[in-house]
Amino acid sequence: MAAAGALRLLVPRGRLLPPRRGLRLSAPAAIQVTVRDALNQALDEELERDERVFLLGEEVAQYDGAYKMGFTGIAVGAAMAGLRPVCEFMTFNFSMQAIDQVINSAAKTCYMSAGTIPVPIVFRGPNGASAGVAAQHSQCFAAWYGHCPGLKVVSPWSSEDAKGLLKASIRDDNPVVMLENELLYGVPFEMSEQAQSKDFVVPIGKAKIEREGTHVTLVAHSRPVGHCLEAASILAKEGVECEVINLRTIRPMDIETVEASVAKTNHLVTVEGGWPQFGVGSEICARIMEGPAFNYLDAPAVRVTGADVPMPYAKILEDNCIPQVKDIIFAVKKTLNI
Amino acid sequence: MAALALRALRGRLLRAAPGRAGRGLGTARDFPSLEEKPQFPGASAEFADRLEFIQPNVISGIPVYRVMDRQGHIVSPSEDPQLPKELVLKLYKTMTLLNTMDRILYESQRQGRISFYMTNYGEEGTHVGSAAALDDTDLVFGQYREAGVLMYRGYPLDLFMAQCYGNASDPGRGRQMPVHYGCRERHFVTISSPLATQIPQAVGAAYAIKRADASRAVICYFGEGAASEGDAHAGFNFAATLECPIVFFCRNNGYAISTPTSEQYRGDGIAARGPGYGLMSIRVDGNDVFAVYNATKEARRRAVAENQPFLIEAMTYRIGHHSTSDDSSAYRSVDEVNYWDKQDHPISRLRHYMQGRGWWDEEQEKGWRKSSRKKVMEAFEQAERKPKPNPQHLFSDVYREMPPNLRRQRAALERHLQHYGEHYPMELYEN
């Protein structure tokens, strides 16, 4: 039991929010919260809410090391036996070593056991490009995990996304892969009073319109959402109003929100950090074609993606391998023929 | 072996070298202990002043614990678990019933009635000996050759067959290849094909059970081939560091498909790896149900009482092919197989014991063979006749709740069948 106690005491790690909530003297206001703090808040709250929730993984120092396959399997087994583990990978690149446990054990078990063995587990960690960590530390796994029935896959951008989606993922009875972004951890976002509450949950499977517009629909997930918003404010000066959709969930994808937007704007640009082939953008385009929104397109949809190469190390090369604001602007102008 | 060599080294005490704490790196006062004992955090041992490698001992390795000889006589009466007649008969009948079911289902695959099968020939003793030593609620993680454990716990023939046929009675809803049984009520986790993935999962489950403070154990079965997988290493190590109530049960049956143990490892089998992880370990005669029983019983008791993992390596022999996709005559001799079938089989050894006690005779043997075969044939004929699962089950259990896209597809299928059902062999499916 001592070991169990020690395990739970390890968390929360990272800084806690100052005790603002108890000392509120004026009207409630939004505050700036970094993604990291939002995640920690979510973990604190969910650990307190349900004693079956526990953390393990590479970030949780005590049981770390090269045992990715090991602790992933342990997390799956613990979930099968009734606990609700939150399993952290130092980066999702390393999850490839444990991917058999994630796909063949976590994702497929409910189906293969005809519903008798649920696996309520969350796999989380940084995904995609960071800065200067080269090819084996920079791959985006949205398409890999988004491919598999049995898994849910979420990809937060803002602090509100991070906190709300993590809480939703922990409360979800299915295996959930949460793809975070290392470069966003230190970025502060405004969090409303509502978002700061203990019961704030962002529903899995619902996209958010971050910015309304009329000329073109930009769809992105994770860090590129910020780039889209930047591109949108630059384009606004030229009279092009972009509607920016933050997917929030990769699987199940909220294609209805994209369709409604395309019906309004008639133009679509998808933006992602991952490689172009078989990526998130490919799936969005395929679904748009299969649904009613196809009839509203005035031009073929365009995908903005990472370059189709393993991520190089040199900074100037790395910078040019991930979608930049100028790439998004270029794609918009191309699809609008301006 | 390893332990003996270390003791020999310790015998050769080194001459104390003068303390060299100086060299400008600090004085005696800076380091709390300058005794001539290594201070490394990673190991607690003495110094050795002679270069000597520890030799892996494979010539005379860990001994094989047994209770009965090959003729079913108790070797050392103090080790006889003195199981009551009823229990011994249950052990025997489970092993023979399993054997009979294996024969029928193997044949049914050869005849194209089911797609695949794996027999348990020769290893029945490892199943029932261990199953009998567990509590009913202990959680079982198997590999794929442990059907006897489930049978011992009372899983009916109907359901074994239903799973192999993937018919409407299959609790698994026809989702899996044959022999991938699972039963929540009997605490037998659904079999999963990838090798050794069950090992760290079993440890995670044991950890959860320990947290819940239930007096339950987890038993994790695997073969000597699966023990070569990375997951096995991680599982053993975590079990020890997380102090879990788990019994690791390795069926060392001589072959991993076509790979003989001589090519599988160069050390002293699997039991010798245990101490490397800090696991209490033992090697037993897997064809001796009493030895398997004794070892599992004691390991289980202590695993739960002391929250520490145990490793049992049960030596046995895989008499059958790896599966229906294998023809083992390609890599081993018929003589070798016959030796184990005739000279050292768990079923015949127990039968000799029972006959020696006056609990069994030719008459009963004939009668039981007839009635067990009849039972199996009845279940078999039923399984053949049953319809397949309802096509609606195609869509369920992908997630805990059915997502909208699958609901739409299921409704579309329903509409389609309403209109065009007469063109489909609907009578083959449960409606």
Side-chain angles (χ1 to χ4, degrees):
Chain A
M1 273 319 228
L7 180 55
R8 284 192 54 112
L9 280 172
L10 268 185
V11 195
R13 55 157 183 53
R15 290 175 291 128
L16 290 176
L17 276 187
R20 244 200 88 259
R21 278 171 265 152
L23 297 168
R24 206 179 319 121
L25 300 170
S26 51
I31 56 166
Q32 294 280 308
V33 181
T34 62
V35 170
R36 178 185 293 114
D37 287 342
L39 289 169
N40 281 339
Q41 214 179 83
L43 287 171
D44 286 344
E45 289 168 8
E46 294 306 300
L47 281 165
E48 195 184 306
R49 178 180 177 270
D50 185 343
E51 61 164 20
R52 297 170 300 171
V53 177
F54 76 104
L55 305 208
L56 78 166
E58 282 173 299
E59 274 285 276
V60 183
Q62 196 164 339
Y63 306 106
D64 72 345
Y67 298 125
K68 289 156 263 291
M69 269 193 292
F71 66 70
T72 312
I74 288 186
V76 171
M80 289 176 175
L83 293 185
R84 303 182 73 93
V86 179
C87 180
E88 305 188 26
F89 293 115
M90 189 155 306
T91 92
F92 265 100
N93 294 273
F94 303 144
S95 77
M96 275 202 286
Q97 290 184 277
I99 206 164
D100 181 271
Q101 290 283 357
V102 177
I103 308 293
N104 276 330
S105 289
K108 297 180 184 173
T109 291
C110 187
Y111 188 76
M112 291 196 319
S113 72
T116 57
I117 306 181
V119 185
I121 188 172
V122 177
F123 299 104
R124 56 170 289 246
N127 176 63
S130 178
V133 291
Q136 294 173 336
H137 296 75
S138 306
Q139 190 175 330
C140 176
F141 285 85
W144 284 43
Y145 289 116
H147 193 56
C148 304
L151 279 185
K152 294 191 180 178
V153 182
V154 299
S155 182
W157 167 62
S158 63
S159 298
E160 191 179 288
D161 292 352
K163 179 180 171 186
L165 285 173
L166 183 51
K167 286 168 78 77
S169 304
I170 292 172
R171 296 182 190 192
D172 198 301
D173 291 331
N174 298 286
V176 182
V177 168
M178 176 145 144
L179 304 170
E180 301 161 9
N181 187 294
E182 191 178 332
L183 297 174
L184 288 175
Y185 282 152
V187 176
F189 289 85
E190 192 174 275
M191 270 185 93
S192 65
E193 174 66 26
Q194 188 208 12
Q196 293 164 50
S197 98
K198 258 200 275 227
D199 297 308
F200 174 73
V201 165
V202 165
I204 294 177
K206 201 84 193 69
K208 182 180 179 205
I209 298 176
E210 298 286 351
R211 182 190 196 280
E212 289 192 6
T214 48
H215 296 127
V216 60
T217 300
L218 300 179
V219 186
H221 70 97
S222 189
R223 190 157 174 262
V225 172
H227 296 143
C228 287
L229 288 169
E230 254 186 80
S233 51
I234 293 172
L235 284 163
K237 300 197 188 101
E238 298 181 41
V240 177
E241 292 299 325
C242 304
E243 179 144 292
V244 177
I245 298 179
N246 174 2
L247 270 182
R248 284 180 157 178
T249 300
I250 305 294
R251 184 178 182 112
M253 190 182 289
D254 180 9
I255 200 66
E256 286 84 10
T257 297
V258 181
E259 284 172 337
S261 176
V262 169
K264 186 171 70 166
T265 67
N266 312 119
H267 295 86
L268 175 61
V269 172
T270 69
V271 186
E272 68 198 283
W275 292 318
Q277 292 200 41
F278 307 95
V280 175
S282 322
E283 178 66 15
I284 294 173
C285 291
R287 295 221 202 167
I288 290 295
M289 278 216 295
E290 290 165 357
F294 172 73
N295 299 307
Y296 292 85
L297 280 174
D298 285 349
V302 170
R303 296 177 292 164
V304 179
T305 71
D308 198 20
V309 296
M311 182 65 77
Y313 172 72
K315 180 142 177 49
I316 187 76
L317 294 177
E318 184 184 58
D319 284 346
N320 282 285
C321 280
I322 51 177
Q324 301 179 52
V325 174
K326 65 173 170 65
D327 301 317
I328 302 171
I329 294 174
F330 180 81
V332 167
K333 291 189 171 176
K334 186 163 127 173
T335 199
L336 288 176
N337 211 15
I338 54 177
Chain B
M1 11 118 261
L4 291 169
L6 277 174
R7 256 183 260 138
L9 283 173
R10 208 175 285 139
R12 278 189 267 280
L13 264 189
L14 66 154
R15 264 166 274 114
R20 289 292 234 133
R23 279 221 243 127
L25 296 172
T27 64
R29 271 176 290 125
D30 299 331
F31 297 92
S33 169
L34 275 184
E35 317 164 13
E36 274 309 307
K37 191 172 157 42
Q39 298 295 312
F40 302 113
S44 105
E46 302 284 343
F47 277 115
D49 64 355
R50 203 203 314 246
L51 177 67
E52 192 165 342
F53 290 98
I54 299 170
Q55 182 157 9
N57 195 338
V58 297
I59 309 295
S60 55
I62 297 176
V64 183
Y65 170 73
R66 68 168 182 178
V67 173
M68 282 191 282
D69 64 18
R70 294 189 189 93
Q71 285 75 45
H73 302 128
I74 301 289
V75 174
S76 176
S78 61
E79 296 296 307
D80 182 353
Q82 299 188 351
L83 299 178
K85 177 176 173 185
E86 232 173 76
L87 180 51
V88 175
L89 286 182
K90 182 178 177 186
L91 294 174
Y92 184 73
K93 288 187 174 177
T94 305
M95 289 198 288
T96 46
L97 189 63
L98 175 61
N99 193 280
T100 304
M101 183 181 84
D102 275 353
R103 283 173 208 283
I104 303 289
L105 287 175
Y106 185 87
E107 266 315 297
S108 98
Q109 192 278 344
R110 293 336 260 170
Q111 292 171 18
R113 298 168 189 269
I114 61 177
S115 64
F116 175 82
Y117 194 69
M118 297 178 102
T119 57
N120 303 274
Y121 302 146
E123 300 185 50
E124 298 91 345
T126 60
H127 304 179
V128 305
S130 53
L134 299 169
D135 279 11
D136 286 338
T137 55
D138 287 342
L139 192 55
V140 176
F141 280 79
Q143 182 164 302
Y144 49 56
R145 217 183 294 279
E146 294 88 12
V149 175
L150 193 51
M151 191 172 272
Y152 184 87
R153 283 190 170 178
Y155 202 62
L157 287 171
D158 280 348
L159 294 184
F160 278 111
M161 305 255 176
Q163 198 281 328
C164 290
Y165 274 84
N167 65 31
S169 298
D170 176 21
R173 291 186 173 157
R175 300 270 166 77
Q176 292 237 54
M177 291 171 68
V179 311
H180 287 64
Y181 314 112
C183 181
R184 199 176 178 87
E185 298 75 45
R186 291 175 176 84
H187 311 282
F188 190 93
V189 177
T190 307
I191 300 296
S192 164
S193 301
L195 279 192
T197 51
Q198 77 275 17
I199 302 179
Q201 288 167 18
V203 175
Y207 177 74
I209 283 172
K210 180 175 86 160
R211 265 181 116 231
D213 210 9
S215 320
R216 285 172 80 197
V218 174
I219 188 162
C220 180
Y221 295 89
F222 53 95
E224 86 286 350
S228 295
E229 285 281 335
D231 269 357
H233 159 75
F236 295 155
N237 201 40
F238 269 110
T241 55
L242 291 177
E243 297 169 0
C244 297
I246 183 169
V247 176
F248 292 113
F249 194 103
C250 177
R251 292 176 294 96
N252 187 329
N253 64 13
Y255 289 90
I257 312 188
S258 64
T259 304
T261 49
S262 57
E263 286 171 34
Q264 187 64 247
Y265 50 73
R266 285 297 143 80
D268 178 22
I270 313 309
R273 298 180 198 172
Y277 294 99
L279 303 177
M280 297 286 294
S281 314
I282 191 169
R283 170 174 287 154
V284 308
D285 180 344
N287 292 352
D288 174 350
V289 285
F290 295 144
V292 173
Y293 177 87
N294 284 351
T296 309
K297 191 113 185 129
E298 180 64 2
R300 190 250 172 233
R301 184 189 71 76
R302 289 185 62 184
V304 173
E306 299 164 25
N307 272 330
Q308 71 164 315
F310 277 74
L311 171 63
I312 298 175
E313 184 184 18
M315 309 306 293
T316 179
Y317 188 82
R318 193 196 78 205
I319 290 175
H321 307 299
H322 166 73
S323 72
T324 48
S325 308
D326 176 45
D327 174 8
S328 61
S329 66
Y331 52 83
R332 59 180 183 177
S333 73
V334 172
D335 288 339
E336 180 185 294
V337 178
N338 275 333
Y339 166 79
W340 290 95
D341 198 20
K342 304 281 182 306
Q343 311 288 344
D344 191 344
H345 198 292
I347 291 176
S348 30
R349 283 167 74 177
L350 188 62
R351 186 171 60 242
H352 290 138
Y353 172 85
M354 284 159 55
Q355 284 166 339
R357 295 289 302 257
W359 291 347
W360 198 253
D361 58 31
E362 269 309 307
E363 187 86 26
Q364 286 169 289
E365 177 68 20
K366 269 204 338 232
W368 170 243
R369 278 205 196 175
K370 197 159 163 221
S371 69
S372 59
R373 192 184 154 81
K374 180 159 180 281
K375 267 204 269 205
V376 174
M377 287 310 295
E378 271 167 10
F380 168 76
E381 271 145 27
Q382 272 222 6
E384 285 262 312
R385 282 196 300 262
K386 281 194 183 144
K388 299 301 179 197
N390 192 313
Q392 297 285 310
H393 287 315
L394 186 63
F395 307 99
S396 53
D397 310 312
V398 180
Y399 297 95
R400 298 300 288 159
E401 66 295 322
M402 193 176 294
N405 65 326
L406 291 184
R407 260 188 270 134
R408 282 194 299 270
Q409 289 171 35
R410 185 177 64 169
L413 175 65
E414 218 175 303
R415 284 195 304 274
H416 179 84
L417 288 176
Q418 263 166 22
H419 280 131
Y420 303 108
E422 81 243 26
H423 300 284
Y424 293 91
M426 295 307 295
E427 67 283 358
L428 293 181
Y429 298 89
E430 186 183 56
N431 54 351

